[in-house]
Amino acid sequence: MAEIIQRDGTWTFDGDTVRIVPGGKAHPVRQELGEIAVPLEAVAGVSFEPDRKGGRLRLRLRGGACPVLRAADGRLKDGADPYALTVEKDRTGVAEYFVDEVRNALLIEQVPDTPVDRFLLPGPTLPVSGGGGDGTASFDGESVRLTWNWKAEESKTAGGASTFPLSRIAAVRWLPAIGLENGFLRFEPVEGPVSTPPKYDPYALDLWGMSKKEHTAVLVAAAVLMRLPGARAALDAPQASPALTKAAEPAAAPAGDHDALLRRLRELGELHRAGVLTDEEFSTAKQAVLRSM
């Protein structure tokens, strides 16, 4: 098992799952999201990015595998990204070893790095809530509730808190505040898009970027997103594609099953001869199989 423990958090890999536990002073988004178990089939790649102070360990997921990343749409800062770990200078060797172990497993299991058509991670635990500049959003799996604070416009506070069932939501979008531009968490009703600015829209939180806590609104967006009708059908789909299951069959054999491991070596040799694996990739994967033997 590969493990790296840092103040920023702890990552472990047992050959099947990357388990991520945030540190005590991690960004609020990571704290609220809590421990994450990432199955190998959801991983597209892993890297270590060195710098003067140590570096950053980064897990790259297959497109569409994580509802939080889908809701964030590439807008999460590094501090809020649950799949990035700050590594101290004296632990860079451990980080590089961690990368090698995950990469070897990806090669052996032949996990593709292509996007998926369903979420492979469960997303935020319900109920979930997130702050905003003019209120708070919460979601219990069935209804969204927007509670306004004293900074909200009268067009929002006049009707009290806004509560609407999931069936009335057609889409959800999260945009963080960038520079002097406010962001928003907006729920688009099934009746059609709303042209009202988020500041006055009772279906939206206005995000001002005054606190890291505002970023937790992305967790509400993720929880709602994965339960919208289209995503719900994907979640109810079988948990493994036939191609991925077939690729993983030899790895399901016990470590002591030499016949299965020898078959894996032959498969790797065929992939190498066909040009699918480079010399370096073939050597790395072969050594990982030999260690299992």
Side-chain angles (χ1 to χ4, degrees), residues 18 42 56 71 77 79 81 90 93 110 124 129-130 132 159 181 233 235 260 263 273:
V18 177
R56 188 176 296 276
K77 295 181 179 179
D81 185 352
D90 63 345
Q110 300 178 36
S129 64
E181 294 292 325
L235 285 172
R263 285 197 300 273
R273 286 191 293 274

Side-chain angles (χ1 to χ4, degrees), residues 8 13 15 18-20 23 26 37 53 92 112-113 126 167 225 252 254 261 275:
D8 198 31
F13 177 60
V18 177
R19 196 167 298 278
I20 298 173
K53 297 181 179 180
T92 57
D113 61 1
L126 298 177
S167 59
L225 177 65
L261 294 172

Side-chain angles (χ1 to χ4, degrees), residues 1 14 32 37 53 74 98 111 134 137 145 201 245 255:
M1 183 176 74
D14 61 6
E32 293 292 333
K53 297 181 179 180
F98 192 97
V111 179
D134 60 357
R145 182 177 177 83
D201 180 11
T245 300

Side-chain angles (χ1 to χ4, degrees), residues 86-135:
T86 300
V87 177
E88 296 160 23
K89 197 168 186 179
D90 63 345
R91 304 298 285 172
T92 57
V94 179
E96 290 169 350
Y97 172 74
F98 192 97
V99 167
D100 287 342
E101 289 297 295
V102 176
R103 284 181 176 171
N104 288 344
L106 290 171
L107 281 172
I108 292 173
E109 301 299 340
Q110 300 178 36
V111 179
D113 61 1
T114 52
V116 295
D117 59 2
R118 58 189 175 84
F119 293 122
L120 299 179
L121 284 92
T125 302
L126 298 177
V128 61
S129 64
D134 60 357

Side-chain angles (χ1 to χ4, degrees), residues 6 14 33 132 141 150-151 159 164 173 200 204 216:
Q6 296 289 271
D14 61 6
L33 195 54
W150 64 273
K151 305 170 195 173
F164 37 91
R173 188 182 178 204
Y200 305 102
T216 56

Side-chain angles (χ1 to χ4, degrees), residues 178-192:
I178 302 174
L180 299 177
E181 294 292 325
N182 286 356
F184 56 81
L185 170 64
R186 169 170 265 163
F187 301 94
E188 182 181 307
V190 293
E191 292 81 10

